[in-house]
């Protein structure tokens, strides 16, 4: 792509989830049409798209046809088969390129890539079979995390391995028996942070200030911005993120997740080459949202300013908020809190149904506001009846 795509052009999105939905909203505001490809009809993104093609991600021919009707292809779900994106690339530019997913879809390949560019990561060992795992277990001097190399997210495909704990060994063995895995040292943490950054085909990079993340049951629960870390770590995290995007030759947007160790060191955890849950608060808290920034990057437009307009906090709304019926959303009708629902009809435990964002004079004050509203919803304050 050598020239910017003009308004009226069509963006093709692989994946129909909430990230694609918010991407479609941003694309429409900039004047673009949106087509969505995914295995489920009436998906969150498909509800807002000009066209929704329903087919398995593995259907290479369908992917090729889909790309033939759009001007640029991107994805909101990083586990799209590379073969499908390669087929799409025969008909339209794919941003980020399929080669990026070849690296980021596999934890071992990703770790080796990060080592190769000199980015610090937690110590790890490749587990080729159960015999290696059981041999290492006898020598453990501290807890480890055993992870599948592919298809893991929100805590899926990983387990904690504790020295001397046979039950944890058997849980880890089941992961290794299912396929390739890695064992990573469990790092004592101060906190977890993430940097969302965009890069254009010309090599321009723009990053948001780091977000601070807290998880519950391995699922992102709350994000604060600005992150409560020293200025030194802010600069280091942004520079490492820039180095990752440049080494991948990534065109589009990505999130780099970091651990901040108890010693104050910064370690890269993983790369998500798409918009990210922790970046949702940019819709209200930044001059340019992460979704608009992705559109700008893949369409050849200048990147927008990424500076904050306010401190902010985001809290996810999971399926348990609906456990007693449809919430009375009047609890969220506050001038300082924004409600985003994703159009999913079936609330299930652990399923991301929406999020809340609050602005405030400080990140802590914004967090107080957003938790106050979510707590009312989760407790069933003013429920209107069964769903």
């Amino acid at each position: 792509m050598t020239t910017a795509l003009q308004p009226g052009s069509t963006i093709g999105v692989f994946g129909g989830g909430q990230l694609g939905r918010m991407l479609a909203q941003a694309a429409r505001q900039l004047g673009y049409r949106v087509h969505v490809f995914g295995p489920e009809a009436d998906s969150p993104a498909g509800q807002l798209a000009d066209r929704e093609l329903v087919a398995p991600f593995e259907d290479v021919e369908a992917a090729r046809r889909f790309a033939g009707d759009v001007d640029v292809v991107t994805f909101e779900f990083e586990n799209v088969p590379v073969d499908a994106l390669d087929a799409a690339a025969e008909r339209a530019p794919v941003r980020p390129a399929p080669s990026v997913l070849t690296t980021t879809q596999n934890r071992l390949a990703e770790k080796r890539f990060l080592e190769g560019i000199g980015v610090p990561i937690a110590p790890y060992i490749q587990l080729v079979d159960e015999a290696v795992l059981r041999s290492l277990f006898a020598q453990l001097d501290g807890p480890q995390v055993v992870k599948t190399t592919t298809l893991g997210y929100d805590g899926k495909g990983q387990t904690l391995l504790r020295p001397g704990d046979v039950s944890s060994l058997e849980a880890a063995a089941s992961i290794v028996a299912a396929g390739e895995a890695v064992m990573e040292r469990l790092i004592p943490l101060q906190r977890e942070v993430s940097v969302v950054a965009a890069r254009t085909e010309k090599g321009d990079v723009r990053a948001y200030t780091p977000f601070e993340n807290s998880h519950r049951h391995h699922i992102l629960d709350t994000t604060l911005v600005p992150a409560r870390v020293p200025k030194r770590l802010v600069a280091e995290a942004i520079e490492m993120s820039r180095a990752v995007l440049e080494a991948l030759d990534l065109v589009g947007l990505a999130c780099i997740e970091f651990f901040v160790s108890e010693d104050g060191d910064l370690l890269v955890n993983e790369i998500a080459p798409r918009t990210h849950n922790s970046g949702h608060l940019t819709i209200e808290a930044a001059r340019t949202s992460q979704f608009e920034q992705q559109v700008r990057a893949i369409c050849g437009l200048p990147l927008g300013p990424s500076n904050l307009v306010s401190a902010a906090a985001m809290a996810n709304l999971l399926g348990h908020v609906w456990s007693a019926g449809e919430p009375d959303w009047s609890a969220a009708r506050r001038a300082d809190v924004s409600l985003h629902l994703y159009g999913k009809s079936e609330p299930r435990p652990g399923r991301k149904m929406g999020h809340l964002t609050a602005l405030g004079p400080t990140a802590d004050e914004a967090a107080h506001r957003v938790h106050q509203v979510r707590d009312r919803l989760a407790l069933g304050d003013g429920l209107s009846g069964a769903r």
Side-chain angles (χ1 to χ4, degrees), residues 294-308:
Q294 183 183 15
V295 173
R296 287 179 169 277
I298 65 174
C299 291
L301 303 177
L303 297 177
S306 57
N307 53 298
L308 298 179

Side-chain angles (χ1 to χ4, degrees), residues 70-204:
V70 304
D71 298 292
V72 66
V73 171
T74 191
F75 45 85
E76 59 99 57
F77 173 69
E78 69 264 44
N79 287 321
V80 177
V82 172
D83 287 349
L85 292 179
D86 282 336
E90 296 173 12
R91 302 289 180 85
V94 177
R95 304 285 185 262
S99 59
V100 172
L101 289 186
T102 301
T103 298
T104 61
Q105 282 182 349
N106 184 288
R107 281 194 173 102
L108 183 59
E110 185 177 80
K111 289 179 182 298
R112 288 173 173 169
F113 161 75
L114 292 168
E115 286 181 311
I117 64 172
V119 171
I121 60 175
Y124 73 95
I125 297 173
Q126 181 183 9
L127 298 175
V128 295
D129 55 37
E130 288 185 61
V132 172
L133 170 67
R134 294 182 185 278
S135 175
L136 291 169
F137 177 72
Q139 309 168 41
L140 290 184
D141 59 357
Q144 310 279 327
V145 182
V146 174
K147 303 178 179 181
T148 60
T149 57
T150 59
L151 301 179
Y153 64 96
D154 285 348
K156 297 177 176 65
Q158 63 179 265
T159 191
L160 184 63
L161 181 63
R162 305 175 187 87
D165 185 341
V166 176
S167 63
S168 73
L169 172 61
E170 296 309 316
S174 67
I175 288 179
V176 177
E180 185 182 50
V182 296
M183 185 171 74
E184 182 180 298
R185 182 180 296 278
L186 183 67
I187 303 296
L189 301 180
Q190 287 186 24
R191 61 194 76 244
E192 298 180 48
V193 301
S194 57
V195 172
V196 171
R199 182 175 179 271
T200 68
E201 190 176 25
K202 295 179 180 179
D204 298 328

Side-chain angles (χ1 to χ4, degrees), residues 151-342:
L151 301 179
Y153 64 96
D154 285 348
K156 297 177 176 65
Q158 63 179 265
T159 191
L160 184 63
L161 181 63
R162 305 175 187 87
D165 185 341
V166 176
S167 63
S168 73
L169 172 61
E170 296 309 316
S174 67
I175 288 179
V176 177
E180 185 182 50
V182 296
M183 185 171 74
E184 182 180 298
R185 182 180 296 278
L186 183 67
I187 303 296
L189 301 180
Q190 287 186 24
R191 61 194 76 244
E192 298 180 48
V193 301
S194 57
V195 172
V196 171
R199 182 175 179 271
T200 68
E201 190 176 25
K202 295 179 180 179
D204 298 328
V205 176
R206 190 152 292 175
Y208 297 91
T209 192
F211 310 132
E212 179 180 334
N213 304 313
S214 60
H215 294 77
R216 183 179 297 176
H217 305 302
H218 301 289
I219 299 173
L220 182 65
D221 181 64
T222 305
T223 296
L224 310 179
V225 66
R228 296 168 295 185
V229 296
K231 289 183 179 180
R232 170 184 64 84
L233 290 187
V234 170
E236 287 182 11
I238 291 174
E239 187 52 41
M240 284 187 201
S241 300
R242 177 187 293 273
V244 168
L245 266 60
E246 290 177 346
L248 287 171
D249 194 23
L250 185 145
V251 178
L253 182 138
C255 177
I256 317 301
E257 299 179 29
F258 294 90
F259 295 142
V260 181
S261 74
E262 285 185 345
D263 296 329
D265 296 324
L266 204 57
L267 305 172
V268 173
N269 176 30
E270 63 183 31
I271 307 164
R274 52 167 173 77
T275 53
H276 193 261
N277 196 170
S278 66
H280 289 353
L281 47 67
T282 60
I283 296 173
E284 287 83 19
R287 291 278 303 280
T288 308
S289 78
Q290 65 167 346
F291 302 100
E292 179 180 337
Q293 204 76 296
Q294 183 183 15
V295 173
R296 287 179 169 277
I298 65 174
C299 291
L301 303 177
L303 297 177
S306 57
N307 53 298
L308 298 179
V309 297
S310 173
M314 184 280 303
N316 273 328
L317 297 175
L318 304 185
H320 73 270
V321 174
W322 282 254
S323 60
E326 183 74 19
D328 179 356
W329 296 110
S330 62
R333 291 176 192 148
R334 291 175 43 163
D336 56 357
V337 175
S338 298
L339 170 67
H340 298 261
L341 296 176
Y342 301 152

